[in-house]
Amino acid sequence: GFLTGPIESLLKLIHNVLTSVGLSEDAWGVSIIVMTVLIKALTFPLTKSQLESTNKMQVRIYFLNALKHFSLNVNLISIFISLACVPFS
């Protein structure tokens, strides 16, 4: 795929840096762990916003189900959703 080249280059760069500070030439596992931590750190803001959005949607679904449970008018439910909930926010 299109990410294979950049990821392989990043891994080699990390491995070269680690071997230059004294790590064994055969210690690719440590290089992979460092690369994984680096990628996780770089994608953390996106992951955090995705989790926050998911939590908001779960709350909205809970209230929508509560409204349905009390047999409110469908129009009232749609008004509530349009006033209180903005999808994809």
Side-chain angles (χ1 to χ4, degrees), residues 44-82:
F44 176 75
L46 182 62
T47 303
K48 182 178 180 246
S49 66
Q50 180 184 12
L51 288 174
E52 289 171 349
S53 178
T54 301
N55 288 339
K56 287 179 186 178
M57 190 57 69
Q58 287 176 347
V59 169
R60 292 172 184 163
I61 290 172
Y62 172 80
F63 282 114
L64 179 62
N65 287 336
L67 287 173
K68 285 180 182 178
H69 178 71
F70 290 111
S71 301
L72 291 178
N73 189 325
V74 174
N75 290 331
L76 185 59
I77 293 172
S78 63
I79 290 170
F80 171 79
I81 292 171
S82 67

Side-chain angles (χ1 to χ4, degrees), residues 6-23:
I7 289 176
E8 183 178 348
S9 298
L10 177 64
L11 181 60
K12 287 179 181 178
L13 175 71
I14 291 170
H15 185 71
N16 289 337
V17 169
L18 291 175
T19 54
S20 70
V21 296
L23 194 65

